[in-house]
PDB file of all heavy atoms in Angstrom:
ATOM      1  N   PRO A1177      -4.545  -4.362 -21.930  1.00 96.00           N
ATOM      2  CA  PRO A1177      -3.842  -4.990 -20.808  1.00 96.00           C
ATOM      3  C   PRO A1177      -3.793  -6.502 -20.938  1.00 96.00           C
ATOM      4  O   PRO A1177      -4.715  -7.144 -21.446  1.00 96.00           O
ATOM      5  CB  PRO A1177      -4.664  -4.569 -19.586  1.00 96.00           C
ATOM      6  CG  PRO A1177      -6.010  -4.224 -20.136  1.00 96.00           C
ATOM      7  CD  PRO A1177      -5.760  -3.662 -21.491  1.00 96.00           C
ATOM      8  N   THR A1178      -2.676  -7.070 -20.464  1.00 96.00           N
ATOM      9  CA  THR A1178      -2.518  -8.516 -20.436  1.00 96.00           C
ATOM     10  C   THR A1178      -3.319  -9.099 -19.274  1.00 96.00           C
ATOM     11  O   THR A1178      -3.830  -8.374 -18.409  1.00 96.00           O
ATOM     12  CB  THR A1178      -1.042  -8.879 -20.263  1.00 96.00           C
ATOM     13  OG1 THR A1178      -0.599  -8.394 -18.974  1.00 96.00           O
ATOM     14  CG2 THR A1178      -0.180  -8.247 -21.358  1.00 96.00           C
ATOM     15  N   LEU A1179      -3.413 -10.423 -19.248  1.00 95.00           N
ATOM     16  CA  LEU A1179      -4.107 -11.077 -18.135  1.00 95.00           C
ATOM     17  C   LEU A1179      -3.431 -10.755 -16.812  1.00 95.00           C
ATOM     18  O   LEU A1179      -4.103 -10.591 -15.782  1.00 95.00           O
ATOM     19  CB  LEU A1179      -4.140 -12.593 -18.372  1.00 95.00           C
ATOM     20  CG  LEU A1179      -5.015 -13.075 -19.538  1.00 95.00           C
ATOM     21  CD1 LEU A1179      -4.884 -14.585 -19.701  1.00 95.00           C
ATOM     22  CD2 LEU A1179      -6.478 -12.688 -19.316  1.00 95.00           C
ATOM     23  N   ARG A1180      -2.117 -10.661 -16.830  1.00 95.00           N
ATOM     24  CA  ARG A1180      -1.381 -10.342 -15.602  1.00 95.00           C
ATOM     25  C   ARG A1180      -1.699  -8.925 -15.143  1.00 95.00           C
ATOM     26  O   ARG A1180      -1.894  -8.670 -13.943  1.00 95.00           O
ATOM     27  CB  ARG A1180       0.117 -10.512 -15.838  1.00 95.00           C
ATOM     28  CG  ARG A1180       0.963 -10.398 -14.577  1.00 95.00           C
ATOM     29  CD  ARG A1180       2.441 -10.596 -14.889  1.00 95.00           C
ATOM     30  NE  ARG A1180       3.200 -10.788 -13.677  1.00 95.00           N
ATOM     31  CZ  ARG A1180       3.382 -11.940 -13.079  1.00 95.00           C
ATOM     32  NH1 ARG A1180       2.851 -13.043 -13.581  1.00 95.00           N
ATOM     33  NH2 ARG A1180       4.101 -12.030 -11.973  1.00 95.00           N
ATOM     34  N   GLU A1181      -1.771  -7.982 -16.070  1.00 96.00           N
ATOM     35  CA  GLU A1181      -2.107  -6.614 -15.707  1.00 96.00           C
ATOM     36  C   GLU A1181      -3.540  -6.517 -15.202  1.00 96.00           C
ATOM     37  O   GLU A1181      -3.826  -5.797 -14.232  1.00 96.00           O
ATOM     38  CB  GLU A1181      -1.885  -5.696 -16.915  1.00 96.00           C
ATOM     39  CG  GLU A1181      -0.409  -5.488 -17.227  1.00 96.00           C
ATOM     40  CD  GLU A1181      -0.172  -4.856 -18.588  1.00 96.00           C
ATOM     41  OE1 GLU A1181      -1.029  -5.037 -19.501  1.00 96.00           O
ATOM     42  OE2 GLU A1181       0.873  -4.201 -18.758  1.00 96.00           O
ATOM     43  N   LYS A1182      -4.461  -7.238 -15.832  1.00 97.00           N
ATOM     44  CA  LYS A1182      -5.840  -7.248 -15.359  1.00 97.00           C
ATOM     45  C   LYS A1182      -5.935  -7.847 -13.962  1.00 97.00           C
ATOM     46  O   LYS A1182      -6.715  -7.374 -13.120  1.00 97.00           O
ATOM     47  CB  LYS A1182      -6.717  -8.027 -16.329  1.00 97.00           C
ATOM     48  CG  LYS A1182      -6.917  -7.351 -17.679  1.00 97.00           C
ATOM     49  CD  LYS A1182      -7.759  -8.229 -18.595  1.00 97.00           C
ATOM     50  CE  LYS A1182      -7.965  -7.572 -19.951  1.00 97.00           C
ATOM     51  NZ  LYS A1182      -8.745  -8.430 -20.881  1.00 97.00           N
ATOM     52  N   ALA A1183      -5.138  -8.886 -13.696  1.00 97.00           N
ATOM     53  CA  ALA A1183      -5.140  -9.491 -12.364  1.00 97.00           C
ATOM     54  C   ALA A1183      -4.661  -8.497 -11.318  1.00 97.00           C
ATOM     55  O   ALA A1183      -5.180  -8.460 -10.189  1.00 97.00           O
ATOM     56  CB  ALA A1183      -4.261 -10.745 -12.360  1.00 97.00           C
ATOM     57  N   ALA A1184      -3.677  -7.661 -11.686  1.00 97.00           N
ATOM     58  CA  ALA A1184      -3.185  -6.637 -10.759  1.00 97.00           C
ATOM     59  C   ALA A1184      -4.284  -5.639 -10.426  1.00 97.00           C
ATOM     60  O   ALA A1184      -4.501  -5.284  -9.256  1.00 97.00           O
ATOM     61  CB  ALA A1184      -1.979  -5.922 -11.367  1.00 97.00           C
ATOM     62  N   ALA A1185      -5.010  -5.186 -11.445  1.00 97.00           N
ATOM     63  CA  ALA A1185      -6.078  -4.212 -11.205  1.00 97.00           C
ATOM     64  C   ALA A1185      -7.206  -4.820 -10.380  1.00 97.00           C
ATOM     65  O   ALA A1185      -7.784  -4.148  -9.519  1.00 97.00           O
ATOM     66  CB  ALA A1185      -6.612  -3.693 -12.538  1.00 97.00           C
ATOM     67  N   ASP A1186      -7.522  -6.075 -10.625  1.00 97.00           N
ATOM     68  CA  ASP A1186      -8.633  -6.718  -9.922  1.00 97.00           C
ATOM     69  C   ASP A1186      -8.366  -6.878  -8.430  1.00 97.00           C
ATOM     70  O   ASP A1186      -9.310  -6.905  -7.630  1.00 97.00           O
ATOM     71  CB  ASP A1186      -8.921  -8.090 -10.537  1.00 97.00           C
ATOM     72  CG  ASP A1186      -9.541  -7.989 -11.924  1.00 97.00           C
ATOM     73  OD1 ASP A1186     -10.033  -6.905 -12.269  1.00 97.00           O
ATOM     74  OD2 ASP A1186      -9.516  -8.995 -12.657  1.00 97.00           O
ATOM     75  N   MET A1187      -7.092  -6.992  -8.040  1.00 97.00           N
ATOM     76  CA  MET A1187      -6.805  -7.235  -6.623  1.00 97.00           C
ATOM     77  C   MET A1187      -6.614  -5.951  -5.813  1.00 97.00           C
ATOM     78  O   MET A1187      -6.557  -6.003  -4.588  1.00 97.00           O
ATOM     79  CB  MET A1187      -5.578  -8.142  -6.485  1.00 97.00           C
ATOM     80  CG  MET A1187      -4.254  -7.460  -6.730  1.00 97.00           C
ATOM     81  SD  MET A1187      -2.845  -8.557  -6.396  1.00 97.00           S
ATOM     82  CE  MET A1187      -2.715  -9.437  -7.951  1.00 97.00           C
ATOM     83  N   ILE A1188      -6.511  -4.796  -6.487  1.00 97.00           N
ATOM     84  CA  ILE A1188      -6.300  -3.537  -5.779  1.00 97.00           C
ATOM     85  C   ILE A1188      -7.639  -2.972  -5.316  1.00 97.00           C
ATOM     86  O   ILE A1188      -8.579  -2.820  -6.104  1.00 97.00           O
ATOM     87  CB  ILE A1188      -5.594  -2.511  -6.691  1.00 97.00           C
ATOM     88  CG1 ILE A1188      -4.200  -3.010  -7.092  1.00 97.00           C
ATOM     89  CG2 ILE A1188      -5.490  -1.154  -5.993  1.00 97.00           C
ATOM     90  CD1 ILE A1188      -3.252  -3.184  -5.941  1.00 97.00           C
ATOM     91  N   ILE A1189      -7.733  -2.662  -4.025  1.00 97.00           N
ATOM     92  CA  ILE A1189      -8.914  -2.001  -3.484  1.00 97.00           C
ATOM     93  C   ILE A1189      -8.464  -0.716  -2.799  1.00 97.00           C
ATOM     94  O   ILE A1189      -7.407  -0.669  -2.164  1.00 97.00           O
ATOM     95  CB  ILE A1189      -9.682  -2.905  -2.497  1.00 97.00           C
ATOM     96  CG1 ILE A1189      -8.766  -3.372  -1.349  1.00 97.00           C
ATOM     97  CG2 ILE A1189     -10.271  -4.102  -3.214  1.00 97.00           C
ATOM     98  CD1 ILE A1189      -9.511  -4.149  -0.277  1.00 97.00           C
ATOM     99  N   TYR A1190      -9.268   0.334  -2.950  1.00 98.00           N
ATOM    100  CA  TYR A1190      -8.911   1.622  -2.352  1.00 98.00           C
ATOM    101  C   TYR A1190     -10.177   2.443  -2.146  1.00 98.00           C
ATOM    102  O   TYR A1190     -11.208   2.228  -2.786  1.00 98.00           O
ATOM    103  CB  TYR A1190      -7.913   2.381  -3.230  1.00 98.00           C
ATOM    104  CG  TYR A1190      -8.427   2.710  -4.606  1.00 98.00           C
ATOM    105  CD1 TYR A1190      -9.016   3.947  -4.882  1.00 98.00           C
ATOM    106  CD2 TYR A1190      -8.355   1.782  -5.643  1.00 98.00           C
ATOM    107  CE1 TYR A1190      -9.502   4.241  -6.140  1.00 98.00           C
ATOM    108  CE2 TYR A1190      -8.832   2.071  -6.901  1.00 98.00           C
ATOM    109  CZ  TYR A1190      -9.406   3.304  -7.147  1.00 98.00           C
ATOM    110  OH  TYR A1190      -9.890   3.586  -8.400  1.00 98.00           O
ATOM    111  N   ALA A1191     -10.085   3.408  -1.240  1.00 97.00           N
ATOM    112  CA  ALA A1191     -11.217   4.305  -0.963  1.00 97.00           C
ATOM    113  C   ALA A1191     -10.663   5.550  -0.266  1.00 97.00           C
ATOM    114  O   ALA A1191      -9.706   5.469   0.512  1.00 97.00           O
ATOM    115  CB  ALA A1191     -12.250   3.606  -0.073  1.00 97.00           C
ATOM    116  N   PRO A1192     -11.281   6.723  -0.561  1.00 97.00           N
ATOM    117  CA  PRO A1192     -12.363   6.950  -1.514  1.00 97.00           C
ATOM    118  C   PRO A1192     -11.848   7.025  -2.951  1.00 97.00           C
ATOM    119  O   PRO A1192     -10.647   7.018  -3.185  1.00 97.00           O
ATOM    120  CB  PRO A1192     -12.930   8.303  -1.066  1.00 97.00           C
ATOM    121  CG  PRO A1192     -11.744   9.009  -0.495  1.00 97.00           C
ATOM    122  CD  PRO A1192     -10.926   7.948   0.191  1.00 97.00           C
ATOM    123  N   HIS A1193     -12.779   7.107  -3.911  1.00 97.00           N
ATOM    124  CA  HIS A1193     -12.430   7.205  -5.323  1.00 97.00           C
ATOM    125  C   HIS A1193     -12.452   8.645  -5.821  1.00 97.00           C
ATOM    126  O   HIS A1193     -12.067   8.899  -6.964  1.00 97.00           O
ATOM    127  CB  HIS A1193     -13.394   6.367  -6.164  1.00 97.00           C
ATOM    128  CG  HIS A1193     -13.170   4.896  -5.998  1.00 97.00           C
ATOM    129  ND1 HIS A1193     -13.476   3.983  -6.977  1.00 97.00           N
ATOM    130  CD2 HIS A1193     -12.672   4.156  -4.969  1.00 97.00           C
ATOM    131  CE1 HIS A1193     -13.179   2.756  -6.564  1.00 97.00           C
ATOM    132  NE2 HIS A1193     -12.699   2.853  -5.340  1.00 97.00           N
ATOM    133  N   ARG A1194     -12.919   9.548  -4.978  1.00 96.00           N
ATOM    134  CA  ARG A1194     -12.997  10.962  -5.346  1.00 96.00           C
ATOM    135  C   ARG A1194     -12.909  11.778  -4.077  1.00 96.00           C
ATOM    136  O   ARG A1194     -13.548  11.441  -3.072  1.00 96.00           O
ATOM    137  CB  ARG A1194     -14.299  11.238  -6.101  1.00 96.00           C
ATOM    138  CG  ARG A1194     -14.550  12.702  -6.456  1.00 96.00           C
ATOM    139  CD  ARG A1194     -15.850  12.803  -7.229  1.00 96.00           C
ATOM    140  NE  ARG A1194     -16.251  14.200  -7.417  1.00 96.00           N
ATOM    141  CZ  ARG A1194     -16.724  14.682  -8.555  1.00 96.00           C
ATOM    142  NH1 ARG A1194     -16.866  13.897  -9.598  1.00 96.00           N
ATOM    143  NH2 ARG A1194     -17.079  15.954  -8.642  1.00 96.00           N
ATOM    144  N   VAL A1195     -12.113  12.852  -4.105  1.00 95.00           N
ATOM    145  CA  VAL A1195     -11.962  13.700  -2.925  1.00 95.00           C
ATOM    146  C   VAL A1195     -12.024  15.163  -3.333  1.00 95.00           C
ATOM    147  O   VAL A1195     -11.602  15.529  -4.429  1.00 95.00           O
ATOM    148  CB  VAL A1195     -10.638  13.434  -2.177  1.00 95.00           C
ATOM    149  CG1 VAL A1195     -10.585  12.028  -1.633  1.00 95.00           C
ATOM    150  CG2 VAL A1195      -9.435  13.712  -3.062  1.00 95.00           C
ATOM    151  N   THR A1196     -12.570  15.978  -2.452  1.00 94.00           N
ATOM    152  CA  THR A1196     -12.523  17.431  -2.592  1.00 94.00           C
ATOM    153  C   THR A1196     -11.761  17.971  -1.400  1.00 94.00           C
ATOM    154  O   THR A1196     -12.135  17.723  -0.245  1.00 94.00           O
ATOM    155  CB  THR A1196     -13.936  18.039  -2.650  1.00 94.00           C
ATOM    156  OG1 THR A1196     -14.615  17.534  -3.807  1.00 94.00           O
ATOM    157  CG2 THR A1196     -13.860  19.552  -2.750  1.00 94.00           C
ATOM    158  N   LEU A1197     -10.681  18.704  -1.684  1.00 93.00           N
ATOM    159  CA  LEU A1197      -9.799  19.183  -0.632  1.00 93.00           C
ATOM    160  C   LEU A1197      -9.860  20.701  -0.552  1.00 93.00           C
ATOM    161  O   LEU A1197      -9.707  21.398  -1.563  1.00 93.00           O
ATOM    162  CB  LEU A1197      -8.350  18.752  -0.898  1.00 93.00           C
ATOM    163  CG  LEU A1197      -8.087  17.253  -1.040  1.00 93.00           C
ATOM    164  CD1 LEU A1197      -6.614  17.006  -1.336  1.00 93.00           C
ATOM    165  CD2 LEU A1197      -8.498  16.520   0.231  1.00 93.00           C
ATOM    166  N   ALA A1198     -10.083  21.205   0.650  1.00 93.00           N
ATOM    167  CA  ALA A1198      -9.958  22.640   0.881  1.00 93.00           C
ATOM    168  C   ALA A1198      -8.483  23.019   0.820  1.00 93.00           C
ATOM    169  O   ALA A1198      -7.605  22.150   0.903  1.00 93.00           O
ATOM    170  CB  ALA A1198     -10.555  22.997   2.242  1.00 93.00           C
ATOM    171  N   PRO A1199      -8.165  24.292   0.670  1.00 92.00           N
ATOM    172  CA  PRO A1199      -6.752  24.695   0.644  1.00 92.00           C
ATOM    173  C   PRO A1199      -5.999  24.213   1.882  1.00 92.00           C
ATOM    174  O   PRO A1199      -6.486  24.333   3.006  1.00 92.00           O
ATOM    175  CB  PRO A1199      -6.827  26.229   0.591  1.00 92.00           C
ATOM    176  CG  PRO A1199      -8.147  26.516  -0.057  1.00 92.00           C
ATOM    177  CD  PRO A1199      -9.068  25.434   0.437  1.00 92.00           C
ATOM    178  N   HIS A1200      -4.846  23.610   1.640  1.00 90.00           N
ATOM    179  CA  HIS A1200      -3.947  23.132   2.704  1.00 90.00           C
ATOM    180  C   HIS A1200      -4.591  22.047   3.556  1.00 90.00           C
ATOM    181  O   HIS A1200      -4.253  21.876   4.731  1.00 90.00           O
ATOM    182  CB  HIS A1200      -3.476  24.299   3.578  1.00 90.00           C
ATOM    183  CG  HIS A1200      -2.914  25.439   2.778  1.00 90.00           C
ATOM    184  ND1 HIS A1200      -1.707  25.358   2.124  1.00 90.00           N
ATOM    185  CD2 HIS A1200      -3.428  26.663   2.493  1.00 90.00           C
ATOM    186  CE1 HIS A1200      -1.479  26.498   1.483  1.00 90.00           C
ATOM    187  NE2 HIS A1200      -2.514  27.309   1.690  1.00 90.00           N
TER     188      HIS A1200
END
């Protein structure tokens, strides 16, 4: 990744990072 792409990843925050979903 370029510096610009790394900057994009560094600014993104999200949660949760893992989910378990029951049917539907």
Side-chain angles (χ1 to χ4, degrees):
T1178 64
L1179 292 177
R1180 188 179 193 86
E1181 288 167 333
K1182 291 178 180 178
D1186 290 343
M1187 76 175 84
I1188 297 297
I1189 57 174
Y1190 61 95
H1193 288 207
R1194 176 178 171 137
V1195 297
T1196 298
L1197 302 178
H1200 309 289

